[in-house]
């Protein structure tokens, strides 16, 4: 299960709206697991709008990817930002006003931060900005 979970994390590493994580319920994650009533291993919980939900689908990678895409992933579309947050819209406009070299420099800086340890909300915002910058870069090609 751990290998599959890691592959799922890799699959959504650049997602603007999905953060895949895990917690060791016998160590530092014990308090988190107790708060969300984790009773066995492996237990999969997912969060939508801050609400924890139990996952009971397939445990293979295709089933997990489908679940994330169908139930959790919301991508900000740079070309049609109706589903983007206000924060994303502001970042899009700022980056559209910047020249290509400035955007490339920002993209490089953010990519270097990807492996850093940070709170989930900051990691999510990092991924959102990366998604926007990558989308703008693709549009330039």
């Amino acid at each position: 299960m751990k290998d599959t979970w890691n592959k799922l994390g890799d699959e959504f590493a650049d997602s603007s709206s999905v953060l895949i994580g895990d917690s060791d319920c016998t160590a530092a994650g014990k308090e988190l697991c107790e708060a969300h009533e984790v009773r066995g291993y492996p237990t999969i919980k997912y969060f939508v709008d801050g609400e924890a939900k139990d996952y009971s689908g397939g445990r293979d990678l295709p089933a997990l990817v489908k679940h994330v895409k169908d139930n959790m992933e919301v991508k900000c579309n740079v070309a049609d930002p109706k589903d983007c947050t206000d924060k994303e819209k502001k970042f899009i406009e700022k980056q559209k006003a910047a020249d290509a070299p400035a955007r490339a420099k920002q993209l490089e800086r953010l990519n270097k931060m990807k492996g850093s340890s940070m709170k989930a909300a900051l990691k999510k915002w990092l991924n959102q900005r990366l998604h926007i910058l990558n989308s703008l870069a693709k549009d330039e090609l």
Side-chain angles (χ1 to χ4, degrees), residues 47-85:
F47 296 78
V48 176
D49 296 327
E51 180 184 340
K53 300 178 182 231
D54 293 323
Y55 174 77
S56 59
R59 301 293 175 109
D60 62 331
L61 187 60
L64 290 165
V65 168
K66 181 175 179 358
H67 173 77
V68 170
K69 287 184 176 185
D70 291 350
N71 298 290
M72 299 170 66
E73 187 175 43
V74 177
K75 287 235 182 205
C76 173
N77 183 340
V78 172
D80 181 14
K82 68 178 179 3
D83 292 327
C84 300
T85 66

Side-chain angles (χ1 to χ4, degrees), residues 32-47:
L32 176 69
C33 294
E34 287 173 357
H36 293 289
E37 300 176 358
V38 173
R39 303 281 183 249
Y41 173 83
T43 296
I44 299 176
K45 298 269 187 175
Y46 66 101
F47 296 78

Side-chain angles (χ1 to χ4, degrees), residues 13-16 87 91 106-107 109-116 118-134:
D14 294 325
S15 174
S16 67
K87 193 173 184 179
F91 186 74
Q106 176 81 315
L107 186 59
R109 182 182 73 81
L110 294 174
N111 272 317
K112 286 180 183 176
M113 293 172 61
K114 275 174 65 171
S116 302
M118 62 185 78
K119 291 184 178 183
L122 291 175
K123 187 156 191 98
K124 181 178 178 182
W125 177 230
L126 173 72
N127 287 331
Q128 289 168 305
R129 290 179 290 168
L130 284 167
H131 171 73
I132 290 166
L133 287 167
N134 284 319

Side-chain angles (χ1 to χ4, degrees), residues 87-100:
K87 193 173 184 179
E88 287 172 319
K89 290 175 186 175
K90 186 176 178 181
F91 186 74
I92 290 168
E93 292 310 312
K94 180 179 178 181
Q95 293 307 313
K96 281 184 174 181
D99 61 12

